[in-house]
Amino acid sequence: MAMSKDVRVTMILECTSCIYFSKESSQYPNRLELRKFCPYCYEYTIHGEIKK
């Protein structure tokens, strides 16, 4: 029998300076923020975790 594995958590990241997506106020102070490349802005910006 196969061993049970941990469930992976899927997070959705959104560019904080991009105009193509809606701005969502952060109600949770411990949300993940990463600096990554945005294909719409064509630059490296901070992407924050959103709830969907």
Side-chain angles (χ1 to χ4, degrees):
M1 291 192 351
M3 301 284 290
S4 64
K5 295 184 179 181
D6 293 331
V7 177
R8 291 187 181 198
V9 177
T10 304
M11 288 184 268
I12 302 171
L13 298 177
E14 179 181 64
C15 179
T16 57
S17 64
C18 193
I19 60 171
Y20 290 104
F21 297 105
S22 64
K23 301 290 182 184
E24 184 175 303
S25 63
S26 178
Q27 297 176 357
Y28 305 101
N30 295 331
R31 288 196 174 180
L32 178 68
E33 288 186 343
L34 295 174
R35 188 170 181 265
K36 58 185 276 187
F37 183 78
C38 179
Y40 300 104
C41 300
Y42 293 107
E43 59 186 31
Y44 284 90
T45 58
I46 295 176
H47 286 66
E49 180 183 353
I50 62 169
K51 179 182 177 185
K52 287 225 176 176

